[in-house]
């Protein structure tokens, strides 16, 4: 099986029927993080409408459509792609009868890039760190964004070598504490042992889906440099943790664990 197919299969296995996206997703679980994302999306949609009279959005990897609804409520028409068949089916049911939302099951994850359409805004929420070569993906994506259009992503881990030791320690410690309450200890222990040994197992679902762990996060500065060739780019950083206690504990300390990107005014 090719690397691409392995990643796709792992995504489908990890996000099957009944998958709970909220439990392990700080940007869905914590009101302040979710509210900031919603406000940014609403502003981007309204800016596109003010500029062209409409806003056609491509949302890559929408999960169960939390932010799809935000985009629709702000006035957008949304094409949603999902590499998980179960999630695509859920989205079709959730937005059945709403002609503002088109759901596409994108089995390989980048099939949408092979078409001819273009979008005023492309949204990727908690997606970039799942893509093995995310810089190449963004390079291929840019021409599909209309002139003057925008790109938005959020909830990806900062590049580990640039983070402070305290930030990394707080992030790892809070994750382990949260993980202990989730069960499935055999899988959790096996994953931690591989991490400590520096091993990447191409047959392990957790290693394929959380690919960023074995390449030390995502390089936000490399993303900035690439996008800056065509956009005005803002990288914003923040703290996030799965557990509510650790989110409250560290959110106001100045520690940073994750980042988002607002890239606007595409020079197509």
């Amino acid at each position: 099986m090719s690397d691409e197919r392995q990643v796709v299969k792992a995504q489908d296995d990890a996000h099957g029927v009944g998958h709970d996206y909220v439990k392990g997703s700080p940007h869905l679980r914590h009101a302040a993080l979710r509210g900031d994302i919603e406000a940014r999306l609403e502003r981007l949609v309204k800016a596109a409408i003010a500029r062209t009279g409409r806003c056609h959005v491509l949302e890559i990897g929408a999960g169960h459509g939390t932010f799809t609804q935000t985009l629709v409520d702000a006035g957008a028409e949304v094409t949603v792609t999902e590499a998980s068949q179960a999630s695509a089916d859920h989205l079709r049911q959730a937005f059945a009868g709403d002609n503002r939302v088109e759901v596409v099951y994108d089995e390989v994850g980048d099939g949408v890039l092979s078409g001819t359409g273009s979008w005023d805004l492309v949204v990727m929420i908690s997606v970039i760190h799942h893509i093995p070569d995310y810089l190449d993906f963004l390079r291929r994506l840019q021409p599909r964004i209309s002139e003057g259009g925008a790109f938005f992503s959020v909830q990806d881990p900062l590049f580990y070598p640039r983070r402070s030791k305290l930030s990394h320690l707080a992030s790892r410690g809070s994750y382990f504490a949260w993980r202990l309450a989730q069960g499935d200890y055999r899988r959790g222990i096996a994953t931690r042992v591989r991490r400590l040994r520096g091993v990447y197992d191409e047959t392990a679902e957790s290693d394929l889906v959380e690919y960023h762990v074995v390449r030390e996060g995502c390089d936000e500065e490399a993303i900035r440099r690439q996008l800056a060739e065509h956009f005005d780019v803002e990288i914003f950083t923040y703290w996030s943790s799965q557990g509510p206690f650790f989110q409250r504990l560290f959110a106001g300390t100045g520690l940073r664990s994750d980042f988002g990107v607002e890239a606007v005014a595409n020079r197509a």
Side-chain angles (χ1 to χ4, degrees):
M1 185 182 294
S2 69
D3 290 345
E4 183 179 69
R5 288 289 178 180
Q6 283 182 303
V7 173
V8 170
K9 183 179 185 302
Q11 292 283 12
D12 216 21
D13 291 345
H15 302 94
V17 176
H19 177 73
D20 184 355
Y21 280 95
V22 175
K23 181 175 67 173
S25 302
H27 59 292
L28 297 177
R29 190 171 192 183
H30 306 312
L33 291 181
R34 180 170 165 174
D36 181 64
I37 294 170
E38 290 173 339
R40 288 176 180 271
L41 291 175
E42 289 169 2
R43 175 164 45 78
L44 288 167
V45 169
K46 292 185 184 304
I49 293 173
R51 188 178 71 252
T52 68
R54 63 173 293 188
C55 182
H56 189 186
V57 178
L58 171 64
E59 184 182 10
I60 300 175
H64 284 171
T66 298
F67 296 109
T68 308
Q69 190 63 58
T70 300
L71 293 164
V72 169
D73 289 344
E77 304 163 58
V78 188
T79 297
V80 178
T81 72
E82 253 300 335
S84 161
Q85 180 69 70
S87 295
D89 291 343
H90 178 96
L91 288 163
R92 289 192 182 99
Q93 182 176 1
F95 293 98
D98 191 336
N99 59 12
R100 297 169 296 179
V101 178
E102 175 191 18
V103 179
V104 177
Y105 172 49
D106 188 356
E107 184 181 12
V108 297
D110 64 355
V112 70
L113 301 183
S114 64
T116 59
S118 64
W119 292 273
D120 303 298
L121 170 63
V122 173
V123 173
M124 299 173 68
I125 299 180
S126 193
V127 171
I128 285 180
H129 62 270
H130 293 306
I131 302 174
D133 190 346
Y134 52 86
L135 292 177
D136 180 67
F137 186 94
L138 294 176
R139 178 188 60 78
R140 294 163 58 205
L141 177 64
Q142 181 273 327
R144 308 301 303 281
I145 300 173
S146 61
E147 186 172 0
F151 169 79
F152 177 81
S153 72
V154 72
Q155 196 60 33
D156 292 297
L158 286 162
F159 193 46
Y160 294 177
R162 291 197 195 96
R163 291 177 59 181
S164 70
K165 291 183 179 179
L166 180 58
S167 170
H168 200 70
L169 180 63
S171 185
R172 291 294 85 196
S174 60
Y175 173 78
F176 291 146
W178 171 82
R179 182 67 181 80
L180 285 172
Q182 307 309 307
D184 196 3
Y185 299 120
R186 179 178 296 179
R187 171 180 168 176
I189 292 171
T191 300
R192 298 276 73 75
V193 169
R194 290 198 303 277
R195 299 288 185 267
L196 291 171
R197 292 173 58 202
V199 172
Y200 172 61
D201 184 351
E202 294 185 352
T203 68
E205 176 186 302
S206 58
D207 285 8
L208 284 166
V209 174
E210 299 302 328
Y211 193 82
H212 63 92
V213 175
V214 298
R215 64 177 173 205
E216 299 190 301
C218 294
D219 191 336
E220 71 280 5
E221 289 303 321
I223 291 173
R224 183 204 301 271
R225 289 193 297 271
Q226 177 160 304
L227 291 175
E229 296 179 9
H230 298 279
F231 298 88
D232 299 332
V233 183
E234 175 198 359
I235 302 288
F236 57 96
T237 62
Y238 57 96
W239 169 264
S240 76
S241 176
Q242 287 86 350
F245 172 78
F246 295 102
Q247 183 64 28
R248 292 192 298 270
L249 181 65
F250 293 116
T253 63
L255 294 179
R256 297 290 185 265
S257 60
D258 296 86
F259 72 96
V261 181
E262 275 196 35
V264 300
N266 182 34
R267 299 178 286 277

